[in-house]
């Protein structure tokens, strides 16, 4: 998407395909200006030195020159070639790169583009078309997977004459013995759990009984104390408290 936007900045008009693109709603595409469009002849084409460009001031005249535009376009087309080689094996390669190939071909046909740049642009455009055709030839229409239905395995039942319920008829005696021991262990384990549950229930009842006895004793002591206090209070109010203890000495 970024490379496509840069290439669109090298055209002097918007294509109809770009107007119908699903990305055209983005603000940077609507307000895009032909900043990389070559207007006059180019003296020299050199690879773009990113470090040198970063050190230049923003108002440098180099950014408005055709030499800068040509260097930027050469860097873009070489980067695009690298991406074409990287994503060559994708099944969606034609949908990704064919719109860019059309844009590259349009830029190569501009009037002031140098011949050396035209060759590079045409080579990349042709490379994209060839790889897209290869991908198209390898595509196959979707179809249901052909697979024979797997038949259900049928097993003839085996009947035992003089069958006895609970008896193990496994021909492997060791396996039958292991099953018997495992069954015995499970039965003993269940019995142990049952006995432990009974013991826990018995201990719980004993604790509850002791607790009830303790509560009854505490209630009896409390009742006696309340009765004594009430008796003392009644005697105090009736004036009988301390009566009959003898005459008071003068």
């Amino acid at each position: 998407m970024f490379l496509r936007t840069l290439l669109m900045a090298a055209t002097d008009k918007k294509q109809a395909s770009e107007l119908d693109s699903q990305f055209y709603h983005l603000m940077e595409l609507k307000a895009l200006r032909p900043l990389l469009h070559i207007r006059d002849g180019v003296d020299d084409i050199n690879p773009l030195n990113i470090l040198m460009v970063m050190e230049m001031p923003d108002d440098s005249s180099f950014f408005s020159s055709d030499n800068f535009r040509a260097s930027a376009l050469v860097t873009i087309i070489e980067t695009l070639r690298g991406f074409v080689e990287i994503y060559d094996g994708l099944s969606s390669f034609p949908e990704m790169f064919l719109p860019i190939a059309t844009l590259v071909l349009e830029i190569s046909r501009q009037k002031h583009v140098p011949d050396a740049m035209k060759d590079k642009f045409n080579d990349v455009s042709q490379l994209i078309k060839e790889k897209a055709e290869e991908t198209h030839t390898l595509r196959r229409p979707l179809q249901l997977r052909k697979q024979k239905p797997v038949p259900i395995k049928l097993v003839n039942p085996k009947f035992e004459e003089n069958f006895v319920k609970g008896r193990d008829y496994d021909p492997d005696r060791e396996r039958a013995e292991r099953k018997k021991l495992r069954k015995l262990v499970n039965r003993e384990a269940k019995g142990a759990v049952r006995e432990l549950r009974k013991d826990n229930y018995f201990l719980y009842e004993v604790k509850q009984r002791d607790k009830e006895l303790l509560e009854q004793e505490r209630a009896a002591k409390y009742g006696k104390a309340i009765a004594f206090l009430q008796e003392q209070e009644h005697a105090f109010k009736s004036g009988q408290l301390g009566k009959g203890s003898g005459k008071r000495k003068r």
Side-chain angles (χ1 to χ4, degrees):
M1 179 62 189
F2 177 68
L3 295 179
R4 187 175 180 180
T5 305
L6 293 177
L7 291 173
M8 289 172 60
T11 59
D12 55 349
K13 60 180 179 179
K14 291 184 173 62
Q15 294 178 310
S17 60
E18 300 299 335
L19 296 176
D20 297 335
S21 173
Q22 57 181 335
F23 301 110
Y24 187 70
H25 67 280
L26 299 176
M27 184 59 66
E28 55 266 25
L29 294 186
K30 290 183 178 181
L32 190 63
R33 295 181 298 167
L35 299 176
L36 298 180
H37 177 63
I38 299 177
R39 297 174 176 82
D40 297 320
V42 178
D43 300 332
D44 191 13
I45 303 175
N46 295 317
L48 192 63
N49 191 338
I50 302 298
L51 297 178
M52 183 188 70
V53 170
M54 292 177 63
E55 294 177 355
M56 290 183 177
D58 296 340
D59 56 351
S60 176
S61 60
F62 176 71
F63 295 120
S64 59
S65 64
D66 286 334
N67 290 335
F68 166 72
R69 299 187 183 100
S71 299
L73 288 175
V74 169
T75 303
I76 293 169
I77 203 65
E78 292 298 334
T79 305
L80 179 60
R81 185 193 300 272
F83 279 113
V84 170
E85 297 294 339
I86 292 174
Y87 296 108
D88 181 19
L90 291 181
S91 58
S92 58
F93 181 87
E95 288 75 17
M96 292 172 58
F97 288 96
L98 280 179
I100 301 179
T102 304
L103 188 59
V104 169
L105 189 61
E106 179 189 353
I107 296 173
S108 67
R109 294 174 180 173
Q110 291 180 0
K111 180 179 179 181
H112 298 290
V113 174
D115 294 337
M117 286 183 58
K118 288 182 179 180
D119 294 339
K120 288 180 178 292
F121 276 62
N122 290 330
D123 291 344
V124 173
S125 178
Q126 186 64 27
L127 178 64
I128 293 174
K129 291 180 179 179
E130 291 177 357
K131 292 186 177 297
E133 290 178 0
E134 293 177 2
T135 305
H136 280 139
T137 56
L138 295 176
R139 285 181 176 177
R140 294 292 181 270
L142 296 177
Q143 59 183 359
L144 293 176
R145 184 177 61 177
K146 296 180 180 180
Q147 183 178 4
K148 295 182 179 180
V150 180
I152 300 175
K153 185 178 180 180
L154 300 178
V155 180
N156 295 328
K158 182 179 180 181
F159 296 97
E160 291 287 345
E161 296 181 359
N162 302 323
F163 176 77
V164 179
K165 184 179 180 181
R167 182 179 176 183
D168 194 352
Y169 290 93
D170 193 345
D172 190 347
R173 301 315 304 168
E174 292 183 1
R175 183 169 57 192
E177 189 66 22
R178 286 197 300 269
K179 289 170 63 177
K180 182 179 179 181
L181 293 175
R182 192 179 299 112
K183 186 176 181 180
L184 180 61
V185 169
N186 292 335
R187 184 168 65 247
E188 293 296 331
K190 291 181 180 178
V193 171
R194 187 165 50 251
E195 293 298 327
L196 289 174
R197 191 177 294 114
K198 289 181 180 179
D199 293 342
N200 290 334
Y201 183 72
F202 174 75
L203 292 175
Y204 175 76
E205 287 185 343
V206 172
K207 289 182 179 180
Q208 286 296 113
R209 194 180 303 115
D210 294 341
K211 185 177 180 180
E212 290 176 359
L213 291 175
L214 185 61
E215 290 292 335
Q216 291 176 2
E217 292 179 0
R218 186 181 294 111
K221 291 180 180 180
Y222 180 76
K224 290 181 180 180
I226 292 296
F228 175 75
L229 292 175
Q230 289 177 351
E231 183 181 353
Q232 293 293 319
E233 183 182 7
H234 177 70
F236 176 77
K237 289 182 178 180
S238 61
Q240 296 179 1
L241 186 64
K243 205 171 186 180
S245 59
K247 293 183 178 181
R248 184 177 179 184
K249 294 182 180 181
R250 294 182 179 179

